[in-house]
Amino acid sequence: MESMYDILLELPMFKGASYNKISEIVGKAKFHFLKYLPGERIIEAGEPCTHLKFIISGSVRVTAANTDGRFKVSQTLSAPDVIAPEFLFGRATDYPVTATAIDTAGLVQISKTDFVDILNSDPVFLYNYLNTLSVNAQKAVEGVLAVAAGSLEERIAFWIIALTQPSGTDIRLCCKQRDLYSLFGVQRSSFIATLDRMKNEGTIDYDSNEIRILSRKELLNRIVSAED
């Protein structure tokens, strides 16, 4: 069985740290270990983000939705991972997502105060967190360019990339087709033709109420290659 130190060393914010450094911070910071049963809610959208929540076992379904629930993007995050880390600081510090345990999920959470102390204790932790924030910030820039002048494929890709994490799997965009092609400002025939093309390429699958992402990496490549 893995020790607590081994588990922490696998988490994205602690990658590259030494065993001795992990031992040091465990002695100073408060790590709260939590267990959630299948179907149990972990985070409610709008809840203040006061702790970093790391998944250390099992998997979690994370969903972002608009206010009336007509548009939903969901993904599965599995251990070792962290839920919405970019909302711990900044102007908006409320979770924009709900998170629910899929199977029995183990989490460890760290308060903002303790996490600041950890960041100040070693450049490795600071670099890991800044890298995470930078990746998410760059998604926004890529997305604005795609929405402003990109193809329909690029705009669909931006939606998915902006609302999911790089490690997300089983990504689904749930929405009625008529709402989506109205949102993107295109005719139904053009929208369906685009979905069919993306399906034939192996990027997505879809039906009348849902688009299922088969390759998030390929969607990201669409945005990046459009800038080259």
Side-chain angles (χ1 to χ4, degrees), residues 32-118:
H32 298 278
F33 290 83
L34 307 169
K35 181 176 288 186
Y36 294 87
L37 298 177
E40 191 171 358
R41 188 59 55 87
I42 299 169
I43 294 170
E44 290 282 358
E47 173 185 324
C49 180
T50 58
H51 293 71
L52 274 185
K53 296 180 184 288
F54 296 95
I55 306 166
I56 57 174
S57 65
S59 53
V60 173
R61 193 69 179 166
V62 178
T63 302
N66 71 328
T67 53
D68 62 10
R70 290 165 61 197
F71 302 94
K72 295 180 181 178
V73 176
S74 60
Q75 61 183 320
T76 294
L77 300 180
S78 301
D81 210 337
V82 58
I83 304 174
E86 64 270 33
F87 289 91
L88 189 64
F89 300 101
R91 182 177 61 85
T93 54
D94 292 338
Y95 282 109
V97 297
T98 61
T100 306
I102 296 176
D103 44 20
T104 300
L107 274 75
V108 60
Q109 66 178 27
I110 308 169
S111 72
K112 179 185 292 188
T113 300
D114 281 338
F115 188 61
V116 169
D117 290 339
I118 290 171

